[in-house]
Amino acid sequence: MTVKPDVRQAVDAAFRNEWGRVVATLIHRTGDWDLAEECAQEAFAEALRRWPSDGVPHRPGAWLTTVARNRAIDRLRRSERGLQLHEQIGREAMLDDITGGSTPVARAREIEDDRLRLLFTCCHPALSLECRVALTLRSVAGLSTAEIARAFLVPEATMAKRLTRSKAKITAAGIPFRVPPAHVLPERIDGVLAVLYLTFNEGYSATSGAELIRTRLCDEAIRLARALHELMADEPEVTGALALMLLHHSRRHARVGPDGELVTLEEQDRDRWDCAEIEEGQGLVEEALHESRVGPYQLQAAIAACHAGAAAIHDTDWAEIAGLYALLEDQCPSPVVRLNRAVAVAMGGDIDAGLAMVEALTSDPRLERYYLLEATRADLLRRSGALGRAQAAYARAIPLAPTDVERRFLERRLAEVRATGADESGPRPS
Amino acid sequence: MRYLLTIVADGMPEPEKLAVLQRECPRWVHEMDGRGVRLLGRELDPPEATTTVRVRHGETLVTDGPFAETKEFMAGLDIIECANLDDAIEVAASHPVSWYTAIEVRPFAGDLHLGEAAAAFARGDACGEPFLLVTWMGGTPATPVHDQAVADEGDGWRRDLDRRGLHVLGDALGRPDTATTVRVRDGSTLLADGPFVQGEDFIASIDVVRCQDRQEAVELAASHPVARHHAIEVRPFCNE
């Protein structure tokens, strides 16, 4: 039987919106991660079978949760896992509770809380960062093991092992299924945001590889950040992180040219920026800054908002951006932040001051193999007219470039500078 | 849940650190005992005092020194009872050793039983001399083994020693990837996923036995099923 496109769409939409909720609810009630995932999987398969004839239910989430819960009860009854009878009855009672007992509003709140618990548990700092990312994509976002493996360019068996190991640790080591208490909440929120932002960047930065799965990573990171923002609207860093992702994402169509080449911010066709995302991002930045608890994500989002708000590169408020980078450097001192600050200073008109900041960074061992240091130096030298030194810097940057796209971009620049330099090789009027 | 805290050291601390440790460790013990979190704990003699025991082709092979020649080593242990890993991490992070080196937090695989012998050991008045037996597994075993089978045999070995009144406490630990290593630097708690010893070999269980002397402890170690495939360290406790 072929599934009608609109039903297929309804199932896909339900999958995106409800997977994490169904899994979270079942984990909370049974403590069994594998059981939760298997039963959620079966509930979605059941939807594909029944929705074409029965119609899409009024509340797809509730329908899916009920089916998954019934499957879980069946499995527990048939269980050969050697569960004690009282454990079994306890779990069944917990599962029964999903659909009965409290008011619809209280139930909806409980389901949202479960989803938040699931996210914090997947992002627990006692798991390695790669495990946190994988588990979040699997359990909260519902990506398959194969998809996650493809996104991170590892064999599927490796990813499956990583997921099994993560779930085993959560159970065996007693990682609690909860939103952490207030005294550790800020650092744990940072931990969740780090996972989401890493996921976003993994999808956004790489311009080669499996295109579809990378788009999915960006979409899922934004979707989860949006969910977190809905549930923790008074946490300005969450708002800032969502804004930052949206503002970067708004430029996705303009940053890669027709042949896959990298297009710099300066050369991007700003008509191809996504206005709706920019507007939403800018609104969120204002909302976050209103809380007067500034943090790194908010500052980076404010910088991205400055760029997004400029109709042309010449309209960019570089002084504001340099100021924001200075604040960011105060909060999290890093040579990369300083490098970006140097660019803003140079672009604001003081090329010499910017160049001096870049030159000072060349002795920092942390940037020893960081291609953007030499690339930035080359660019500023090019702008200042020191073409010979610019060529040398491009030549140093090219072998350090991490992807073909970035390497081709630098080679193109080098060729341009050589051509200009050749034109001006004669005696120059002073 | 019951967790093993492995107190990690990397040599004799510098005088100023030693002064802090000597002041702060008793404070930590006092506080955790008071809260009912710490069930027991003891310091070990330095790793040079370790004897490593293997049994190959029915013959007991005894070597001086630890099994793993690592820079960091187990300098002591505490067993704590916490509701979950978050609480256990907080307890570890408040231990002064985590400020300089590290503390590994690992759950026991089963319900660690602590009876009267363990209580006496905790008070420091166990009859006989206590030794810690640390079983190492993983890496390349002498013969192909099934870890679960060895673990089950280990339970039998424990019951036997218990009957003979020689077993003080001990159990299998959670697999190495259930461990979390806690360090505190500049006031921040840093967590690493996994045990403090990174590598193919890992600590699979710990037991405390009481013996007449080291020779008897070595014999008990040799009777442990893991000795046939891997290795067992026999470590004396520090006299307090």
Side-chain angles (χ1 to χ4, degrees):
Chain A
M1 185 184 70
T2 54
V3 177
K4 274 189 273 169
D6 54 333
V7 173
R8 176 88 234 181
Q9 253 174 19
V11 176
D12 285 349
F15 190 89
R16 281 195 300 277
N17 295 325
E18 306 294 345
W19 170 271
R21 292 191 175 98
V22 176
V23 169
T25 303
L26 290 185
I27 293 176
H28 190 198
R29 307 287 164 145
T30 64
D32 188 332
W33 288 62
D34 290 329
L35 178 82
E37 275 176 20
E38 286 158 16
C39 293
Q41 200 88 56
E42 286 179 17
F44 281 98
E46 184 74 10
L48 261 186
R49 272 196 301 277
R50 297 219 342 232
W51 292 5
S53 52
D54 298 4
V56 177
H58 179 52
R59 290 190 303 146
W63 189 96
L64 289 162
T65 305
T66 305
V67 172
R69 157 192 164 271
N70 291 342
R71 293 297 167 103
I73 290 178
D74 283 351
R75 280 179 180 233
L76 286 175
R77 289 197 179 134
R78 283 186 280 116
S79 172
E80 290 178 19
R81 293 166 204 238
L83 277 187
Q84 296 293 317
L85 190 62
H86 69 272
E87 271 184 281
Q88 220 181 86
I89 291 167
R91 285 187 185 184
E92 282 188 24
M94 289 287 274
L95 284 163
D96 274 337
D97 196 40
I98 293 177
T99 46
S102 52
T103 66
V105 175
R107 276 208 298 277
R109 180 69 225 175
E110 178 67 11
I111 288 171
E112 291 311 299
D113 287 349
D114 276 345
R115 196 157 62 129
L116 204 51
R117 289 184 186 109
L118 178 61
L119 185 57
F120 274 99
T121 306
C122 289
C123 295
H124 196 280
L127 299 169
S128 72
L129 189 58
E130 57 180 23
C131 287
R132 281 179 246 167
V133 171
L135 199 57
T136 302
L137 288 174
R138 175 75 198 117
S139 300
V140 192
L143 265 67
S144 72
T145 307
E147 287 173 317
I148 306 168
R150 255 200 325 280
F152 291 93
L153 307 174
V154 300
E156 191 178 336
T158 308
M159 187 54 76
K161 211 169 145 194
R162 193 177 294 171
L163 285 165
T164 307
R165 179 188 170 288
S166 309
K167 286 183 269 189
K169 174 156 184 181
I170 289 173
T171 313
I175 291 179
F177 188 73
R178 66 173 186 189
V179 174
H183 70 284
V184 286
L185 192 58
E187 61 186 271
R188 295 288 305 280
I189 287 176
D190 282 349
V192 172
L193 294 179
V195 166
L196 299 187
Y197 195 50
L198 189 145
T199 305
F200 177 83
N201 268 329
E202 190 64 31
Y204 186 73
S205 312
T207 45
S208 61
E211 197 59 44
L212 270 175
I213 189 66
R214 296 197 172 276
T215 310
R216 182 94 195 267
L217 289 185
C218 289
D219 292 346
E220 290 303 339
I222 290 174
R223 191 193 320 282
L224 293 176
R226 208 185 277 287
L228 190 61
H229 173 61
E230 275 166 25
L231 298 167
M232 304 190 125
D234 53 351
E235 292 293 339
E237 276 295 85
V238 174
T239 315
L242 173 59
L244 178 59
M245 289 184 219
L246 286 169
L247 289 164
H248 279 318
H249 200 240
S250 73
R251 300 200 293 260
R252 69 194 175 283
H253 296 305
R255 63 190 285 274
V256 183
D259 302 320
E261 75 275 18
L262 203 64
V263 183
T264 61
L265 190 61
E266 191 173 354
E267 294 169 334
Q268 282 172 20
D269 175 0
R270 296 185 178 219
D271 290 339
R272 300 188 67 205
W273 288 1
D274 185 327
C275 299
E277 280 185 330
I278 290 176
E279 209 170 299
E280 191 188 355
Q282 285 171 330
L284 288 166
V285 170
E286 271 177 39
E287 183 188 319
L289 294 177
H290 206 70
E291 294 267 342
S292 302
R293 285 182 283 147
V294 174
Y297 286 107
Q298 294 169 72
L299 288 168
Q300 292 175 80
I303 292 165
C306 275
H307 285 302
I313 186 83
H314 313 290
D315 299 330
T316 311
D317 188 349
W318 289 108
E320 172 76 9
I321 291 175
L324 288 167
Y325 271 121
L327 288 176
L328 185 58
E329 203 182 348
D330 282 346
Q331 290 216 344
C332 28
S334 116
V336 174
V337 173
R338 195 168 180 82
L339 183 63
N340 284 316
R341 188 177 156 195
V343 172
V345 168
M347 294 300 285
D350 200 344
I351 289 204
D352 290 341
L355 203 48
M357 287 169 76
V358 175
E359 304 274 344
L361 282 170
T362 54
S363 57
D364 192 317
R366 287 170 296 180
L367 293 187
E368 203 178 340
R369 300 205 53 81
Y370 188 63
Y371 94 102
L372 279 176
L373 176 63
E374 285 302 338
T376 304
R377 188 188 202 178
D379 189 56
L380 296 186
L381 287 166
R382 177 179 70 89
R383 289 172 194 275
S384 74
L387 300 185
R389 289 176 61 207
Q391 285 183 37
Y394 278 120
R396 281 192 297 274
I398 288 167
L400 299 176
T403 66
D404 284 344
V405 173
E406 281 148 327
R407 186 162 41 247
R408 279 205 301 277
F409 168 76
L410 293 173
E411 282 165 356
R412 180 158 61 86
R413 271 276 190 270
L414 176 58
E416 284 167 16
V417 172
R418 277 209 183 108
T420 319
D423 291 345
E424 295 173 1
S425 57
R428 292 170 66 181
S430 56
Chain B
M1 285 182 68
R2 288 183 172 172
Y3 295 90
L4 174 70
L5 298 188
T6 301
I7 310 300
V8 180
D10 57 5
M12 193 61 185
E14 296 137 38
E16 62 271 29
K17 289 182 186 172
L18 191 61
V20 175
L21 290 171
Q22 282 170 341
R23 188 181 68 236
E24 295 296 321
C25 285
R27 183 199 54 76
W28 180 88
V29 167
H30 184 72
E31 189 195 331
M32 294 307 155
D33 282 353
R35 282 168 46 188
V37 168
R38 179 178 174 273
L39 304 179
L40 56 87
R42 282 285 281 273
E43 261 182 78
L44 289 157
D45 269 350
E48 300 84 74
T50 305
T51 308
T52 300
V53 179
R54 294 175 178 80
V55 174
R56 300 289 184 269
H57 310 294
E59 209 170 313
T60 301
L61 311 172
V62 180
T63 50
D64 284 339
F67 167 75
E69 298 283 351
T70 50
K71 186 171 162 285
E72 295 191 315
F73 55 85
M74 185 193 285
L77 58 89
D78 288 277
I79 293 170
I80 59 168
E81 169 102 47
C82 288
N84 57 49
L85 184 63
D86 281 351
D87 291 357
I89 287 168
E90 271 182 39
V91 169
S94 71
H95 192 299
V97 163
S98 71
W99 310 341
Y100 301 124
T101 48
I103 293 188
E104 181 192 310
V105 182
R106 188 154 12 147
F108 282 93
D111 303 322
L112 172 76
H113 173 71
L114 295 176
E116 184 42 45
F121 168 71
R123 288 193 303 271
D125 58 358
C127 53
E129 201 182 335
F131 285 89
L132 179 70
L133 306 191
V134 181
T135 59
W136 286 82
M137 288 175 70
T140 318
T143 51
V145 290
H146 186 251
D147 287 355
Q148 185 56 46
V150 177
D152 292 346
E153 283 183 71
D155 289 342
W157 173 85
R158 247 167 235 121
R159 278 194 298 277
D160 180 48
L161 257 61
D162 211 29
R163 271 196 299 276
R164 292 156 62 194
L166 301 172
H167 196 245
V168 175
L169 65 97
D171 209 338
L173 293 166
R175 300 264 319 162
D177 45 24
T178 63
T180 305
T181 301
V182 180
R183 295 180 177 83
V184 177
R185 299 291 183 271
D186 301 325
S188 302
T189 303
L190 311 176
L191 304 181
D193 189 3
F196 79 96
V197 186
Q198 299 282 337
E200 301 226 319
D201 301 298
F202 59 89
I203 295 172
S205 65
I206 56 136
D207 290 276
V208 177
V209 295
R210 50 182 175 196
C211 308
Q212 299 299 322
D213 52 21
R214 180 187 299 255
Q215 182 52 39
E216 194 188 356
V218 166
E219 283 162 20
L220 291 180
S223 70
H224 193 291
V226 168
R228 297 200 304 275
H229 314 287
H230 299 275
I232 313 241
E233 284 181 346
V234 177
R235 298 198 56 182
F237 285 94
C238 204
N239 281 319
E240 284 166 348

